[in-house]
């Protein structure tokens, strides 16, 4: 079997085992800059398709013999190599066992990417929220490894899965810890704002203009009225046209061959928007609403979480149209309920959201570096503390 | 099926939901119309009594480690008493929540949906809470963690945003309608302590039953402080007018909030948050009445239960023909139920059960 | 199968809700609304109400950023009640009238002196009317008042309506009287309502004659003759007993009202110069603490003690004046004290003896002297106010002038 795979077997006299040595080499992509998760102060290396390169990256960053990489094969036909990585003296045993159990009990014919794997091993999927963090950055992966989480690498996929993942992880960028806490907390605040804007802004616009116009300041109401004077459509129709054409532009921009890629963005966004306004089909204020929503969705660091928000906003537009604030508020209530119900590998998805949750080491906002004493307590790690109470001992000892 | 337990802070929030939510509606105004300008003194006085009552309840409940009132009444009087008590509490939870829902929707209809039949406004709430109640008990209590702080924030916001309009002279004449009215008739204000009823059902759900003392006392004290805020908003804001009754006094006051010429009429945002709070309150009530019903009958089909109980709430809330009737129901129910059931009846049962327990102990000692 | 039923059920539910809420949607959707920015109430010849609605043409705020002044249109309707008028108006203009952006409610003097409780109750009961809408009693008809309210510096009429009352905070010539406040003062038993007094001023006629009291005319008499076209002017207060107009306050009396009610941030006042006869000094005064009101009941009559504190700076400057001398400043201060005390006392006795209306809400301070609600009710404050005695103490400290201290 070893030989069929093209490996080399090494037999040593007096030993009753043989060594399986991978000696074959393929043409493969070298380690390059990350394409989709760009940071300013962090390292510029990304995972590649080959799982061995990836594990070696992880090992180079962690530099400890406690990093365990367990090989698991998934897929009856493809037998895709997957690597389950964790740090032995930090990660919780139950968590590792649970992940291993789920990985070992998949009866699929093939597994081609980590995106598929994610959907196969998560608990439930009421809201289409992403429940596993995927990253192409080894430094991000290692940071999570060291905080006690488990990483799954899939051969042939340049993305690593980080398990478990909770809601606030999706609003964090790997650069946060490289910046001063004031700056990164400011950015984190902006991201929360972006989340709410993406999710609710178009819905609220529809709700306010259809049911609650007294909320608007008089001058704003008049400028909305004036801008809508020649628009033939009702607001709901108007906003759906623009939101859908925004999604169209986004999707089309992805398909276009890269040399003319930027052109379609400009043509789509600027020309179409301008033309729509001057043709009197949509009002300029609505263009602003749609644009802010779109920009907000791209301010969210995690792609799939941004996607989730973008799809859910249509629901809120509908609710806002049906019953104004009543609809949106009840929708939000159900949304929060399901979000709270969601679990990622036994961890509550919304930990740290409520101001009354007292979770050590996993506040949304970062404390100063010297104060980051604890690993997230919901992970139940073997080493709850990651640094001494006085970490800057040069100063205080 | 493992029964999920809740931790202390969640339990506190659960009880507070039951306590705080009625304050959105006419509750603070009702307090004031009973005791006039002496309401603040009266509330301090009533809160002390409420704290004493909750300590008594805690002491009595402590004897029955993780039993709730239904189990205790079974211990005391067998199946029959268990059923009676269970049904009384189910009725209480259902009626109180549906009347609150009705009054709130009445206000929503007046303010925002003049052309929509109230039945449909009620129905939206029922659909929402049924969807949310399908989830686990833990979820219900955790949603409170997110939603309830918003309510507290809104009340604080109303207080500080209106502080420029307050006239603090309104606490005078200091005794209101006289000593008798403040301290004897004013005991009627104890009816606002609705959350006491939930205390009897908490013990089996707690992760740490030994924290029960903390829960009872914190919630009662917190509610007293909150009530002081709520009442002082209304007391200081309006220059003494007993003859005018607003549909939702707190909402009415939010209309006065303005910051410059740009931020005026923010009241819809408050309604937005309060809708969340009301739905959360309803879900808690629905969940607890389901739990009691499960205990009584051993039915284990939660879906059917949710929809039948949701329909119950809907039916009761549609029942009053107009606002005057539902308002009257709200007042009388809160009075009779809070006094009759959650204070007198339950404490009597607890005392009798404790006596029985001690007697048994003595008998077993003698033997 | 089950999931198909579920999906079907959800779709049916959405359709039901869509239909159920559609009525409210079409009634409150912004494109179906006619936004009223001001309302006026007059009495017609047939003793009916004549109600004027002012609308703004939104096209004036169009994409170029509105360089032109916004044209606004005024419709007047004769009806027996407000709701009736709104109904009639709806049929005329074919859109639904919405009062939630109504910034100004004008009553004509004639109507106000007949009593306006019915209108005020109706407006307070209306969910759309904002409690912060200003209430004006106009000396002319409400219609012509609104017609002649033209924004001078702003483009939008609503902006003008919002802004003009704010001047009271630093001039003290009128007060920010709102309808919410009016309503509560009307029904409460310790206070009485007031409204802004408005009128039309033009070059030739002097319609606000009662306001421009000659005594204090230095700073502002030219105001009314400044404009070349006739515009509406707001100056002074209209004061009510319950819902009936009983009198007017001139601008200096309004200032006294604002000082006692702590509604003014600073004001200019001309006091007699202690050194020169027949000359006046303009002083800019700012209250340093809130006016303290102490009340006592002596032999069944209320005795009200007021204490105001100001700090001031001298505004007017002449040749050969020296404001760096503390003696002179003390003299000016005492002159100030005397002058303001006399104004306040005069004002207070006027409200008590002539008008018998407690617009300063002394009633709420008087309540302190009673233990229970019924004691206070027996005292019958509303009728006893006219028996009140006042003692006013003013404590001014004039600090200096502004940039020049000595000339």
């Amino acid at each position: 079997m070893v030989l069929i795979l093209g490996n080399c077997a090494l037999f040593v006299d007096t030993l009753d085992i043989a060594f399986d040595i991978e000696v074959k080499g393929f043409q493969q992509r070298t380690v390059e800059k990350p394409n989709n998760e760009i940071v300013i102060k962090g390292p510029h290396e990304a995972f590649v398709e080959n799982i061995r390169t990836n594990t070696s990256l992880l090992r180079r960053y962690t530099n400890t013999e406690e990093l365990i990489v367990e090989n698991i094969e998934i897929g009856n036909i493809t037998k895709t190599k997957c690597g389950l990585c964790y740090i032995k003296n930090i990660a919780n045993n139950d968590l590792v066992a649970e992940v291993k159990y789920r990985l070992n009990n998949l009866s699929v014919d093939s597994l081609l990417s980590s995106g598929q794997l994610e959907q196969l091993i998560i608990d439930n999927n009421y809201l289409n929220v992403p429940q596993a963090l995927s990253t192409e950055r080894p430094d991000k992966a290692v940071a999570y490894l060291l905080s006690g989480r488990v990483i799954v690498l899939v051969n042939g996929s340049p993305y690593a899965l980080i398990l478990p993942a909770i809601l606030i992880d999706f609003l964090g960028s790997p650069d946060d810890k490289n910046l001063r806490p004031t700056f990164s907390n400011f950015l984190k605040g902006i991201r929360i704002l972006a989340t709410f804007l993406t999710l609710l802004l178009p819905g609220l616009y529809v709700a306010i203009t259809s049911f609650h116009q007294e909320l608007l300041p008089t001058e704003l109401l008049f400028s909305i009225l004036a801008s809508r004077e020649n628009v033939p459509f009702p607001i709901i129709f108007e906003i759906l046209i623009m939101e859908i054409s925004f999604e169209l532009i986004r999707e089309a921009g992805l398909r276009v061959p890269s040399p003319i890629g930027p052109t379609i963005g400009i043509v789509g966004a600027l020309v179409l928007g301008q033309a729509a306004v001057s043709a009197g089909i949509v009002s300029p204020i609505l263009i602003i609403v749609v644009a802010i929503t779109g920009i907000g969705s791209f301010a969210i660091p995690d792609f799939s979480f941004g996607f989730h928000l973008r799809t859910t906003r249509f629901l809120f537009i509908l609710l806002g149209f049906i019953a104004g604030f009543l609809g949106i508020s009840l929708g939000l209530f159900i949304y929060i309920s399901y979000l709270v119900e969601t679990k990622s590998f036994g961890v509550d998805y919304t930990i740290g959201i409520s101001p009354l949750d007292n979770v050590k080491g996993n506040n949304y906002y970062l404390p100063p570096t010297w104060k980051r004493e604890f690993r997230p307590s919901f992970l139940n790690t073997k080493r709850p503390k990651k640094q001494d109470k006085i970490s800057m001992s040069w100063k205080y000892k | 099926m493992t029964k999920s337990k809740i931790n202390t802070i969640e339990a506190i929030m659960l009880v507070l939901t039951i306590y705080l939510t009625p304050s959105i509606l006419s509750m603070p105004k009702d307090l004031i119309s009973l005791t006039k300008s002496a309401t603040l003194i009266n509330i301090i006085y009533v809160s002390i009594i409420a704290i004493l009552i909750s300590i008594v309840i805690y002491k009595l409940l402590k004897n029955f480690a993780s039993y709730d009132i239904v189990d205790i009444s079974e211990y005391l009087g067998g199946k029959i008493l268990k059923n009676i008590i269970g049904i009384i509490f189910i009725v209480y939870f259902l009626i109180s929540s549906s009347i609150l829902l009705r009054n709130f929707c009445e206000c929503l209809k007046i303010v925002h949906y003049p052309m929509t039949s109230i039945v449909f406004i009620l129905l939206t709430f029922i659909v929402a809470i049924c969807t949310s109640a399908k989830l686990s008990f833990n979820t219900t209590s955790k949603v409170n963690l997110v939603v309830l702080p918003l309510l507290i924030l809104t009340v604080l916001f109303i207080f500080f945003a209106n502080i420029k309009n307050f006239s603090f002279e309104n606490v005078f004449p200091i005794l209101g309608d006289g000593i008798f009215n403040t301290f004897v008739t004013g005991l009627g204000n104890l009816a606002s302590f609705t959350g006491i009823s939930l205390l009897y059902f908490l013990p089996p759900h707690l992760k740490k039953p030994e924290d029960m003392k903390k829960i009872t006392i914190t919630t009662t004290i917190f509610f007293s402080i909150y009530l002081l805020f709520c009442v002082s908003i209304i007391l200081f804001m309006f220059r003494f007018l007993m003859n005018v009754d607003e549909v939702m006094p707190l909402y009415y006051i939010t209309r006065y909030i303005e910051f410059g010429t740009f931020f005026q009429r923010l009241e819809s945002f408050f309604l937005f948050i309060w809708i969340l709070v009301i739905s959360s309150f309803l879900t808690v009530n629905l969940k607890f009445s389901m739990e009691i019903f499960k205990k009584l009958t051993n039915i284990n089909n939660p879906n059917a239960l949710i929809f039948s109980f949701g329909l119950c709430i809907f039916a009761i809330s549609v029942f009053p023909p107009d606002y005057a009737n539902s308002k009257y129901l709200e007042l009388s129910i809160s009075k009779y139920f809070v006094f009759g059931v959650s204070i007198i009846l339950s404490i009597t049962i607890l005392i009798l059960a404790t006596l029985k327990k001690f007697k048994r102990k003595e008998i077993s000692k003698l033997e | 199968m089950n999931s198909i039923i579920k999906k079907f059920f959800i779709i049916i539910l959405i359709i039901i809700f869509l239909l159920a809420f559609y009525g409210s949607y079409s009634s409150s959707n912004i494109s179906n609304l006619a936004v009223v920015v001001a309302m006026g109430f007059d009495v017609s010849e047939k003793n009916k109400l004549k109600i004027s609605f002012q609308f703004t043409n939104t096209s004036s705020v169009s994409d170029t950023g509105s360089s032109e002044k916004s044209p606004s249109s005024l419709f007047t309707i004769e009806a027996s009640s407000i709701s009736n008028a709104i109904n009639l108006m709806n049929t005329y203009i074919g859109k639904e009238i919405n009062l939630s952006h109504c910034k100004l409610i004008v009553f004509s003097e004639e109507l106000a002196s007949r009593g306006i409780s019915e209108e005020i109750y109706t407006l307070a009961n209306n969910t759309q009317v904002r409690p912060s809408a200003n209430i004006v009693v106009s000396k002319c008809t409400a219609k012509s008042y609104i017609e002649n309210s033209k924004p001078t510096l702003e483009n939008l009429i609503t902006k003008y309506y919002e802004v003009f009352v704010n001047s009271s905070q630093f001039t003290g010539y009128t007060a920010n009287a709102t309808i919410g406040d009016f309503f509560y003062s009307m029904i409460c038993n310790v206070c009485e309502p007031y409204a802004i007094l408005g009128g039309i001023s033009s070059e030739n006629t002097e319609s606000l004659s009662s306001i421009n009291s000659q005594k204090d005319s230095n700073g502002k008499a030219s105001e009314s003759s400044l404009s070349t076209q006739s515009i509406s002017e707001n100056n002074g207060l209209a004061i009510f007993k319950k819902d009936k107009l009983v009198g007017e306050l001139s601008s200096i009396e309004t200032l006294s009202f604002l000082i006692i009610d702590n509604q003014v941030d600073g004001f200019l006042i001309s006091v007699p110069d202690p050194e020169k006869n027949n000359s006046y000094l303009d002083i800019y005064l700012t209250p340093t603490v809130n006016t303290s009101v102490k009340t006592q009941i002596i032999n069944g009559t209320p005795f009200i003690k007021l204490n105001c504190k100001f700090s001031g700076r001298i505004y007017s400057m002449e040749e050969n004046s020296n404001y760096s001398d503390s003696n002179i400043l003390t003299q000016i201060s005492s002159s100030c004290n005397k002058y303001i005390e006399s104004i306040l006392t005069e004002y207070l006795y006027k409200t008590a003896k002539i008008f018998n209306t407690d617009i300063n809400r002394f009633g709420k301070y008087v309540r302190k002297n009673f233990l229970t609600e019924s004691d206070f009710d027996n005292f019958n404050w509303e009728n006893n106010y006219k028996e009140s005695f006042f003692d006013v103490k003013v404590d001014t400290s004039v600090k200096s002038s502004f940039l020049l201290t000595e000339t």
Side-chain angles (χ1 to χ4, degrees), chain A residues 199-349:
Chain A
L199 194 62
L200 294 177
L201 186 69
L204 285 179
Y205 179 75
V206 172
I208 288 174
T209 49
S210 331
F211 289 95
H212 312 280
Q213 41 74 32
E214 82 280 350
L215 189 68
L216 294 170
T218 311
E219 282 85 56
L220 186 59
L221 174 75
F222 283 148
S223 48
I224 291 178
L225 275 179
S227 71
R228 279 188 48 76
E229 214 157 40
N230 300 320
V231 178
F233 305 118
I235 286 173
I236 174 75
F237 202 61
E238 202 185 337
I239 204 160
L240 282 180
I241 290 177
M242 283 324 287
E243 291 287 7
I244 288 170
S245 46
F246 170 78
E247 293 294 321
L248 265 178
I249 294 168
R250 205 196 56 78
E251 183 63 13
L254 215 63
R255 298 278 168 279
V256 180
S258 51
I260 42 171
T263 339
I264 193 94
I266 295 163
V267 170
L270 287 181
V271 178
L272 195 70
Q274 184 61 41
V277 169
S278 37
I281 295 173
V282 292
S283 65
I285 289 193
L286 192 120
I287 298 272
I288 298 173
V289 169
V290 172
I292 290 178
T293 314
I295 293 168
S297 78
F298 290 116
I300 290 163
D302 190 84
F303 173 72
S304 43
F305 189 65
F307 219 128
H308 155 73
L309 293 177
R310 281 217 309 281
T311 45
T312 319
R313 79 169 180 229
F314 284 103
L315 194 73
F316 282 103
I317 292 176
L318 180 69
L319 287 171
F321 171 64
I322 291 178
F325 276 1
L326 175 66
I328 293 186
S329 191
L330 289 178
L332 203 60
F333 177 70
I334 296 175
Y335 181 74
I336 294 174
S337 304
Y338 275 90
L339 216 54
V340 168
E341 172 85 355
T342 307
K343 281 195 164 133
S344 170
F345 290 84
V347 174
D348 284 334
Y349 194 61

Side-chain angles (χ1 to χ4, degrees), chain C residues 90-108:
Chain C
N90 283 340
T91 43
Y92 282 156
I93 58 170
K95 268 187 165 183
E96 183 139 358
I97 290 225
N98 190 292
L99 301 180
S100 54
H101 291 272
C102 180
K103 294 283 164 69
L104 195 70
I105 294 163
V106 187
F107 289 93
S108 74

Side-chain angles (χ1 to χ4, degrees), chain C residues 132-395:
Chain C
S132 61
N134 288 107
I135 180 163
V136 171
V137 169
S138 104
K139 308 268 296 180
C140 52
T141 61
K143 189 186 172 195
S144 55
Y145 177 86
I146 295 177
E147 255 172 355
N148 290 309
S149 311
K150 290 197 184 88
T152 36
L153 297 175
E154 291 87 9
N155 285 326
L156 259 179
I157 184 96
T158 53
K159 192 92 190 169
Y160 167 70
Y161 287 148
E162 271 169 5
V163 166
F164 81 79
V165 286
N166 289 345
S167 67
S168 72
Q169 278 181 7
F170 49 88
T171 60
Y173 288 162
T174 187
N176 190 356
T178 59
I179 180 126
D181 212 38
F182 192 95
F183 173 64
Y184 277 110
S185 308
M186 197 174 83
I187 53 179
C188 100
N189 58 0
V190 293
C191 37
E192 300 294 347
Y194 57 91
I196 300 168
L197 187 64
I200 304 174
S201 72
S202 58
E203 214 170 3
N204 306 320
T205 57
E206 198 172 330
S207 59
L208 285 172
S209 54
S210 73
I211 288 167
N212 295 325
S213 65
Q214 293 302 312
K215 212 166 86 186
D216 193 48
S217 57
N218 315 31
K220 64 190 187 338
S222 60
E223 263 177 28
S224 56
S225 59
L226 179 83
S227 55
T228 48
Q229 76 213 77
S230 71
I231 56 161
S232 69
E233 186 183 80
N234 305 293
N235 213 338
L237 280 186
I239 56 175
F240 287 73
K241 174 90 180 170
K242 290 288 158 201
D243 65 326
K244 287 195 178 60
L245 179 73
V246 291
E248 290 160 5
L249 296 185
S250 68
S251 28
I252 191 74
E253 285 161 347
T254 310
L255 179 62
S256 322
F257 164 75
L258 292 177
I259 291 172
I260 295 168
D261 217 41
N262 300 318
Q263 286 191 35
V264 66
D265 296 340
F267 52 90
L268 263 180
I269 199 161
S270 316
V271 298
D273 194 330
E275 292 189 323
K276 294 171 208 159
N277 281 339
N278 286 334
S279 81
Y280 288 88
L281 277 177
D282 286 346
I283 298 178
Y284 191 78
L285 292 179
T286 45
T288 46
V289 289
N290 281 353
T291 308
S292 82
V293 180
K294 290 208 175 85
T295 59
Q296 273 175 300
I297 307 289
I298 298 172
N299 296 333
T301 52
F303 176 64
I304 298 168
K305 254 174 134 175
L306 293 167
N307 203 343
C308 318
K309 277 191 178 140
F310 300 104
S311 77
R313 278 178 201 280
I314 299 154
Y315 213 84
S316 57
M317 213 60 194
E318 290 171 38
E319 253 182 290
N320 295 328
S321 46
N322 180 5
Y323 299 132
S324 52
D325 187 347
S326 68
N327 281 338
I328 295 174
L329 289 178
T330 331
Q331 276 176 19
I332 297 174
S333 299
S334 65
S335 162
C336 252
N337 289 348
K338 236 182 265 164
Y339 182 64
I340 297 175
E341 268 168 28
S342 71
I343 298 172
L344 288 183
T345 321
E346 198 182 320
Y347 156 75
L348 286 170
Y349 279 109
K350 194 176 176 188
T351 60
K353 307 293 176 202
I354 300 175
F355 300 135
N356 183 22
T357 169
D358 177 21
I359 55 167
N360 275 109
R361 294 144 192 175
F362 290 125
K364 70 182 184 191
Y365 301 104
V366 174
R367 298 168 65 94
K368 268 186 205 169
N369 300 308
F370 297 90
L371 263 184
T372 64
E373 205 82 17
S374 52
D375 286 354
F376 181 72
D377 288 345
N378 290 337
F379 180 66
N380 197 358
W381 166 250
E382 284 168 34
N383 292 329
N384 257 320
Y385 175 63
K386 62 172 179 285
E387 312 288 337
S388 307
F389 289 92
F390 299 97
D391 177 29
V392 184
K393 265 227 170 75
V394 178
D395 183 9

Side-chain angles (χ1 to χ4, degrees), chain B residues 14 26-27 34 44 60 83 89 118 132 137 145 156 161 221 223 246 269 273 294 301:
Chain B
L14 268 185
S26 58
M27 191 258 271
L34 191 63
I44 295 170
L60 291 171
N83 283 332
F89 270 101
I118 186 128
S132 164
F137 186 82
L145 278 189
L156 286 181
I221 290 176
F223 176 61
E246 296 89 8
F269 271 122
I273 291 170
K294 263 189 211 160
N301 181 357

Side-chain angles (χ1 to χ4, degrees), chain B residues 53-65 67-73 75-76 81 85 89 196-197 199-201 203 212 216 341-358:
Chain B
I53 289 177
S54 55
I55 290 174
V56 168
I57 292 172
Y58 155 69
K59 292 262 178 212
L60 291 171
L61 277 176
K62 205 173 68 177
N63 298 324
F64 306 91
Y67 275 21
D68 64 11
I69 187 92
V70 176
D71 299 321
I72 293 170
S73 50
Y75 171 77
L76 180 68
L81 190 65
I85 294 292
F89 270 101
I196 287 177
S197 56
L199 291 178
Y200 303 112
F201 295 97
M212 195 62 195
T216 44
V341 179
S342 62
I343 296 179
I344 297 170
L345 180 68
S346 315
I347 290 184
T348 325
I349 286 173
L350 285 178
I351 290 173
L352 288 178
T354 320
L355 287 178
K356 191 175 172 184
K357 197 174 180 183
F358 278 117

